[in-house]
Amino acid sequence: MTIDYDVVIIGGSLAGYYAALAATELRATVALVEPKVNYGFIHHYALSKIGKLAQQLGDATGFGIHATHTNSSEKCHISLAWQEAMLYAQSVASNLEEQYSPAILAARGVDVIVGSGQFQSSPQLAFALNNRLLLARTYLLASGSRPEIPEIDGLEATGYFTLSNIWQFLNGATSPKNWVIIGGIPQSIEIAQTLARFGYNVTLVVKHRHILPFIDPELAILLQAQLEVEGVRVLTEKPVIQVRRIEGKKWIQAGDKAIETDEILVVTGQQPNLESLNLASVDVKWHRRSLVVNDQLQTTNHRIYACGDVIGGYDFANIANYEAKIALKNALFFPKLRVNYQSIPWAIFTVPMLAQVGLTEAQAKRQFGRDEVLVLRHYFKTVTAAQLQNETTGMCKLIVLRNGEILGASVLGAEAGELINLIGLAISQKIKVEHLANLSPVYPSFSEILEQTAREWSQQKLNSNVALQEFMEGFLHFRRNWNL
């Protein structure tokens, strides 16, 4: 059997591109199939940034961007801000397209093959497309995902939008003003705040107790309060039962509430792009939301690996790239590396930003016991840089063991994405919390909050030692009296 490549990467996701370039750095022969990236997510991040700028400008001019204002000045303001956002997003997407163009990839040593194909197992494992068989030692699935649509009575008949098509529809001043967003995942939180900042009336419907059930509840409540301050109506513990169109309006039944709206945006999760790959013929198992992989990111076919959206979880680019590195090295060399998400941070691009790494307070106490875990908190309102930039909303929360080992952290506030990277590094290198307390960051800077939060460890440890000493003294006093 003649092998064409060391690895064939199937899918034009950003993780696929990342893996292809990483393979060339490892001196592997690599082919990338179907390099068609959807850059719609760039519009989302760009609009979040422009939404923040528009809000600041509105505050400065005195009228702001709020749905209750309908004068011509505000409409013009919203329209201009929206146009600026779209131009900014298109510029960033254009730069990315240039960076990952077939010509650039080919110059780096990637064999770019455009087209759709599928696996075949006979007479040998191969990937077939364009009347050609791609033979490789290993294969990497990085085909990305698409919005998953929940089964809700009447949703299809009534009509809805997803993040993949909403940007072409919105134009700031003339699009419908009332929106209901179904979903409690990071992207639904981000788009709810962005639309509210551009003057839309937004209702966010979440079936869980908090807006983000997998994050620390303390910070979830703070973020929810921030959304509500900005005009987002948040309904928690309200599963959507049915959707109907009545007299030209769309109605949503969410729990015991009936909500009238102009349009519906569904942001409940992602579904992997796998159906056309003929995976059953090569013994690769998968569910509706993800492939079945082991901790080496190997599918049920030992020569096929996977990374990114196709293995489930939330859509975070840095986590997909981390998985791509692990899967690629295991595919090309010996499969000995295992994924460990303990020190891999992620962030939600709200304002203020929410970022997390490692274990939450509840997870740490379940795993190590309540008495062994210390929770350290500090608030942005005491940080000089936050006061100077009027970014005082938020808190830093460190989860540590009594011996100073850092188990996790959650940060809600300005520059949270940069701060969480430092904590992630500390966890990966087993740097204890007392070293963060000795950080001595540039003053003024937001890194101050890490130093100030870490200092709480020595104080809590001292308090716990005093309490223990008092308990022992009381116990000994009781023993002496009992012996008498």
Side-chain angles (χ1 to χ4, degrees):
M1 178 180 69
T2 302
I3 297 295
D4 300 316
Y5 302 99
D6 292 317
V7 59
V8 169
I9 300 170
I10 294 101
S13 66
L14 288 179
Y17 281 124
Y18 180 89
L21 293 175
T24 63
E25 294 173 358
L26 296 171
R27 301 292 189 269
T29 55
V30 54
L32 178 65
V33 176
E34 201 176 327
K36 301 173 184 176
V37 176
N38 177 11
Y39 291 96
F41 74 97
I42 292 297
H43 290 77
H44 172 57
Y45 291 133
L47 286 170
S48 296
K49 180 175 179 61
I50 298 298
K52 179 180 179 181
L53 296 176
Q55 185 77 11
Q56 292 172 346
L57 180 58
D59 293 341
T61 55
F63 57 81
I65 299 181
H66 302 288
T68 54
H69 298 164
T70 57
N71 59 59
S72 59
S73 296
E74 189 206 336
K75 288 182 179 179
C76 179
H77 184 61
I78 295 175
S79 179
L80 289 175
W82 195 269
Q83 291 174 26
E84 182 181 357
M86 294 306 295
L87 288 173
Y88 178 77
Q90 290 164 6
S91 174
V92 175
S94 177
N95 290 338
L96 277 178
E97 290 174 359
E98 177 68 23
Q99 180 180 342
Y100 292 115
S101 68
I104 295 295
L105 292 170
R108 296 280 298 273
V110 179
D111 192 354
V112 180
I113 304 172
V114 178
S116 299
Q118 62 181 14
F119 281 101
Q120 69 172 42
S121 58
S122 180
Q124 55 200 352
L125 179 63
F127 193 79
L129 81 162
N130 301 342
N131 298 318
R132 176 185 175 187
L133 293 181
L134 300 181
L135 301 176
R137 290 197 295 113
T138 55
Y139 300 83
L140 177 61
L141 292 172
S143 50
S145 62
R146 64 187 183 277
E148 181 186 43
I149 308 304
E151 295 181 0
I152 298 173
D153 181 28
L155 181 62
E156 289 290 341
T158 304
Y160 58 89
F161 287 90
T162 68
L163 287 183
S164 64
N165 59 17
I166 187 176
W167 307 120
Q168 293 79 10
F169 176 76
L170 294 170
N171 58 21
T174 61
S175 54
K177 280 294 183 184
N178 301 302
W179 288 81
V180 168
I181 301 176
I182 302 174
I185 66 173
Q187 290 83 355
S188 63
I189 309 304
E190 294 165 352
I191 187 62
Q193 186 181 53
T194 299
L195 292 180
R197 284 174 172 250
F198 276 101
Y200 294 97
N201 296 321
V202 180
T203 300
L204 178 64
V205 180
V206 180
K207 66 180 179 180
H208 302 288
R209 184 178 180 183
H210 304 294
I211 55 174
L212 295 164
F214 59 95
I215 69 168
D216 190 297
E218 189 173 6
L219 276 79
I221 292 171
L222 285 176
L223 180 57
Q224 180 173 328
Q226 178 66 30
L227 293 176
E228 291 172 337
V229 164
E230 296 192 25
V232 178
R233 180 189 181 197
V234 181
L235 301 178
T236 56
E237 297 185 277
K238 295 287 187 271
V240 177
I241 302 170
Q242 63 178 342
V243 177
R244 292 287 185 270
R245 184 185 291 274
I246 303 174
E247 297 181 353
K249 287 287 187 179
K250 296 182 179 182
W251 286 83
I252 292 176
Q253 183 70 36
D256 58 353
K257 295 208 178 273
I259 310 165
E260 178 187 349
T261 187
D262 296 325
E263 290 296 345
I264 300 168
L265 179 62
V266 178
V267 196
T268 56
Q270 295 292 110
Q271 182 175 344
N273 297 320
L274 298 171
E275 293 88 348
S276 64
L277 299 180
N278 195 27
L279 295 176
S281 70
V282 290
D283 299 321
V284 173
K285 295 180 180 180
W286 62 289
H287 304 302
R288 188 178 68 172
R289 285 198 175 193
S290 65
L291 281 164
V292 176
V293 295
N294 59 21
D295 58 3
Q296 297 169 328
L297 299 181
Q298 198 173 40
T299 69
T300 47
N301 184 316
H302 73 279
R303 290 176 57 192
I304 301 176
Y305 291 76
C307 66
D309 301 3
V310 294
I311 65 173
Y314 291 112
D315 184 14
F316 296 123
N318 66 310
I319 294 179
N321 290 345
Y322 165 74
E323 293 166 346
K325 286 187 289 188
I326 297 292
L328 187 63
K329 290 179 180 178
N330 283 339
L332 293 175
F333 305 110
F334 296 104
K336 62 180 182 179
L337 299 177
R338 302 177 186 276
V339 288
N340 180 1
Y341 300 104
Q342 181 67 20
S343 62
I344 308 300
W346 52 263
I348 302 174
F349 290 84
T350 50
V351 180
M353 182 183 290
L354 174 63
Q356 190 166 293
V357 67
L359 302 179
T360 64
E361 177 184 353
Q363 291 169 338
K365 288 181 176 178
R366 282 197 302 268
Q367 185 171 335
F368 295 96
R370 300 183 65 86
D371 294 337
E372 292 301 315
V373 175
L374 298 179
V375 180
L376 316 178
R377 297 177 180 86
H378 209 79
Y379 295 89
F380 274 74
K381 63 184 179 181
T382 66
V383 177
T384 303
Q387 296 173 17
L388 290 172
Q389 298 186 33
N390 195 27
E391 300 277 3
T392 56
T393 300
M395 68 177 292
C396 176
K397 186 173 182 179
L398 293 179
I399 312 300
V400 302
L401 290 176
R402 288 188 177 278
N403 65 3
E405 180 184 350
I406 304 173
L407 300 176
S410 300
V411 182
L412 175 68
E415 305 297 335
E418 303 299 333
L419 297 173
I420 209 71
N421 288 334
L422 292 175
I423 302 172
L425 178 63
I427 294 175
S428 68
Q429 299 302 309
K430 301 189 182 303
I431 298 172
K432 292 195 173 182
V433 70
E434 60 260 38
H435 298 297
L436 284 183
N438 296 324
L439 186 61
S440 300
V442 170
Y443 180 88
S445 71
F446 285 97
S447 297
E448 263 187 89
I449 199 167
L450 297 182
E451 177 190 23
Q452 294 173 1
T453 309
R455 285 179 182 173
E456 298 289 327
W457 173 75
S458 58
Q459 185 60 46
Q460 283 201 30
K461 192 175 180 182
L462 177 63
N463 292 341
S464 63
N465 288 339
V466 170
L468 179 61
Q469 183 178 357
E470 291 176 347
F471 170 79
M472 291 303 298
E473 289 175 353
F475 178 73
L476 292 174
H477 178 72
F478 169 79
R479 286 287 304 272
R480 286 193 295 269
N481 291 339
W482 183 80
N483 289 334
L484 289 176

